[in-house]
Amino acid sequence: MLLIRCPHCGDRPEVEFRHGGEAHLARPPEPAALSDAEWAAYLHQRRNPRGPHAERWRHIHGCGRFFNAVRDTLTDRFLATYPTGAARPDGTQQGDPA
Amino acid sequence: MSMRRFSLLSLAREALRGHSGWQPQWRSPPSPAAAYDAVIVGGGGHGLATAYYLAREHGMRRIAVLEKGWIGGGNTGRNTTIIRSNYLFPESAALYDHALKLWEGLSRELNYNVMFSPRGVLMSAHSVHDIQSFQRHIHANRLAGVDNEWLTPEQCKAFCPPLDISPHARYPVLGGALQRRGGTARHDAVAWGYARAASALGVDIIQNCEVTGIRREGPGGAVSALETTKGLVRTARVGVVAAGSTSLVMAMAGLRMPLESYPLQALVSEPVKPVFPCVVMSNTVHAYISQSDKGELVIGAGTDQYTSYSQAGSIQILTHTLDAITEMFPMFRRMRMLRAWGGIVDVTPDRSPIIGLTPVPGLFVNCGWGTGGFKATPGSGHVFAATIAKGEPHPIAAPFNLARFETGRMIDEAAAAAVAH
């Protein structure tokens, strides 16, 4: 089980959280202006990297808030957690084909 | 290399000679040749089957299978070996039943005992929703020509005596859907049998050879060569069958896939005498179980909630499944678990596989089997080989094209899975 540091509550066990998928995916402001390929890419294509991965978590059995994390998907080690809306911390990009 | 066939005579002769005359079952050259007509990336069951059918049915001879580790060491060696074809949608039923029909003759076809055992797969129902859903499956399967039948709780108990059908259970068994043609097979034997048969037809199986790059110097950006840890391999046709690592391989060709890779765990108990005659799956309490011929109970757990390549999952996923197993089969409450492990499964948005062409000419992909690919191994290899050889989708593979995520023609087995992952 992972130990996850909620930016608002501190270290808590994984069972208090829900994983929310890849982070920093912005919904296109005008979906109707996109081609089918662009819309499909937004909906379905994911980087799925082996290494640092920026992802969303929700502290659903705690404060209930979403936040972002960078986790190494090879070791499951968290490199950083940070509030939604904040930029991805420096030094966590290496190896992620973002 | 000519393959020495297994027969009663050859077994008896070797028994008398102290088994001193057996040869390696397949060739595994230390490094690839400079060029091939087709290269399969990934030496699991699906990749080896693809190479076998390319050689056997399409007459291709210069074929290589490149495997990063050892053959059958990925999800082929990490799953719970359950085989069934009672999927809801016609496209899925056609694909998985194609595989099941190949399973039925596979040991004879390969001259290698894959220990296919059609002992029956029973899916237990614990709620009104389960009953309605399973009966819908049964009707859909009957229309698709796939066997699947409804059992009362008493019939379930007769078919699987360890099952607790008492009304005092926390989630009482209200009935079940049984596919009698379903069952299990020996996972290692599937990889080894296909490797042996493919090797005999001239396929080069290169182990410890990781693909590190895809060159696209052909017309229209077509595939021209693969960079590997054992040198450059020229080829105009590449079939990627890399399961959980598919996103990484396809990214080398500049493609981003509709895939996410999750850990999926399984575990086995200490071996005991035969106690469990079939396969039982329960969606509602999330348990699936069978007994191997070695005597171990083989139990499948769920996926973790997060993507990972660690080939290990969290302990609470295992204990959750064991809670369900011991609830349904109280006789197993004092059994000890021997080993647990994880595999990395590549999951698509609609939980159906992707088999076919890609936007890159010469590059083909067979992936997205998610949590249930083993059962499809022969059918997957068979239709993928035809797709590679002809450059157009095999009719059974056609609905599983990569473009469906753009056109919207999903095959949404996500809601129809035997066990929700």
Side-chain angles (χ1 to χ4, degrees):
Chain A
M1 189 183 298
L2 306 178
L3 183 64
I4 302 176
R5 178 164 297 171
C6 171
H8 312 288
C9 309
D11 290 337
R12 297 295 179 90
E14 179 200 334
V15 289
E16 292 189 10
F17 298 85
R18 286 299 294 175
H19 187 252
E22 187 175 322
H24 305 298
L25 294 176
R27 182 184 170 89
E30 286 190 70
L34 300 183
S35 69
D36 288 350
E38 288 166 334
W39 183 240
Y42 162 70
L43 285 181
H44 301 305
Q45 290 179 9
R46 296 292 178 264
R47 294 205 305 278
N48 197 25
R50 183 174 64 194
H53 180 230
E55 60 194 13
R56 300 191 309 162
W57 286 86
R58 187 180 180 203
H59 194 187
I60 191 164
H61 298 299
C63 63
R65 294 166 78 172
F66 277 98
F67 60 93
N68 291 333
V70 179
R71 181 177 52 89
D72 187 324
T73 60
L74 191 56
T75 61
D76 292 333
R77 184 186 302 274
F78 281 88
L79 305 179
T81 56
Y82 51 101
T84 297
R88 181 171 171 164
D90 288 340
T92 64
Q93 270 86 356
Q94 195 176 16
D96 188 345
Chain B
M1 172 173 132
S2 67
M3 178 173 79
R4 196 166 146 209
R5 290 185 65 79
F6 288 116
S7 66
L8 191 60
L9 189 65
S10 72
L11 292 173
R13 188 166 53 222
E14 285 303 328
L16 293 173
R17 291 167 50 179
H19 294 287
S20 57
W22 297 117
Q23 299 295 315
Q25 295 294 302
W26 62 86
R27 293 172 309 114
S28 191
S31 55
Y36 290 96
D37 293 336
V39 175
I40 305 302
V41 180
H46 291 240
L48 292 163
T50 303
Y52 167 74
Y53 291 112
L54 272 175
R56 175 91 166 73
E57 302 213 339
H58 304 284
M60 294 180 77
R61 282 296 174 268
R62 299 198 314 153
I63 302 168
V65 177
L66 305 184
E67 166 54 46
K68 180 174 72 173
W70 64 95
I71 62 167
N75 294 346
T76 298
R78 294 165 184 270
N79 70 91
T80 52
T81 76
I82 297 169
I83 295 166
R84 62 183 181 89
S85 65
N86 50 355
Y87 280 68
L88 180 63
F89 296 112
E91 297 88 346
S92 311
L95 176 61
Y96 289 100
D97 210 54
H98 181 55
L100 184 45
K101 286 171 182 157
L102 289 172
W103 278 115
E104 287 164 350
L106 194 60
S107 292
R108 183 177 294 267
E109 156 120 23
L110 298 179
N111 181 237
Y112 200 88
N113 187 5
V114 300
M115 298 167 72
F116 174 60
S117 167
R119 60 185 68 179
V121 175
L122 176 67
M123 296 179 175
S124 60
H126 304 265
S127 67
V128 173
H129 172 79
D130 279 354
I131 294 172
Q132 293 172 341
S133 167
F134 289 0
Q135 294 195 344
R136 182 184 176 205
H137 276 70
I138 288 167
H139 295 315
N141 289 153
R142 190 164 56 208
L143 292 174
V146 174
D147 74 303
N148 198 3
E149 62 192 91
W150 179 256
L151 300 189
T152 64
E154 293 71 26
Q155 289 170 321
C156 290
K157 177 79 177 171
F159 189 74
C160 182
L163 185 64
D164 178 12
I165 61 165
S166 76
H168 308 298
R170 185 167 177 197
Y171 301 102
V173 174
L174 304 179
L178 172 64
Q179 186 176 28
R180 293 184 190 274
R181 288 161 65 227
T184 60
R186 171 77 191 162
H187 47 77
D188 288 332
V190 175
W192 299 339
Y194 272 118
R196 173 173 175 268
S199 174
L201 293 171
V203 173
D204 283 353
I205 298 165
I206 322 288
Q207 301 181 92
N208 299 307
C209 180
E210 181 177 359
V211 171
T212 54
I214 298 176
R215 290 203 187 167
R216 297 176 51 187
E217 291 155 354
V223 170
S224 55
L226 294 175
E227 298 165 8
T228 79
T229 50
K230 295 190 171 183
L232 192 70
V233 180
R234 300 209 168 275
T235 183
R237 290 181 207 203
V238 172
V240 176
V241 199
S245 296
T246 300
S247 292
L248 309 176
V249 178
M250 297 301 278
M252 296 173 194
L255 294 180
R256 189 171 284 190
M257 298 294 289
L259 294 172
E260 289 185 299
S261 297
Y262 292 91
L264 177 63
Q265 296 181 88
L267 65 166
V268 294
S269 73
E270 57 191 332
V272 290
K273 289 187 176 179
V275 289
F276 204 82
C278 58
V279 180
V280 172
M281 315 182 73
S282 168
N283 192 354
T284 297
V285 300
H286 201 293
Y288 46 110
I289 180 170
S290 65
Q291 187 175 21
S292 76
D293 293 314
K294 281 193 291 186
E296 302 155 328
L297 297 179
V298 182
I299 297 167
T303 51
D304 275 273
Q305 57 173 331
Y306 50 84
T307 61
S308 178
Y309 289 83
S310 65
Q311 289 191 323
S314 294
I315 189 76
Q316 80 272 12
I317 306 290
L318 295 176
T319 55
H320 175 72
T321 283
L322 290 176
D323 287 348
I325 292 289
T326 52
E327 178 71 29
M328 287 178 72
F329 310 103
M331 65 188 272
F332 295 144
R333 277 181 187 167
R334 296 183 63 190
M335 279 192 81
R336 286 165 294 195
M337 293 297 130
L338 207 59
R339 300 190 307 277
W341 62 89
I344 302 304
V345 299
D346 46 324
V347 175
T348 59
D350 62 358
R351 301 302 190 267
S352 288
I354 299 167
I355 314 167
L357 283 63
T358 72
V360 177
L363 182 64
F364 302 84
V365 71
N366 183 353
C367 65
W369 291 94
T371 58
F374 178 78
K375 65 174 79 71
T377 303
S380 159
H382 186 260
V383 300
F384 191 48
T387 302
I388 293 175
K390 295 177 180 166
E392 61 184 57
H394 183 281
I396 290 176
F400 297 90
N401 59 72
L402 176 59
R404 73 177 184 270
F405 300 101
E406 196 174 312
T407 62
R409 286 191 67 87
M410 307 279 195
I411 303 162
D412 193 2
E413 294 285 348
V419 173
H421 284 294

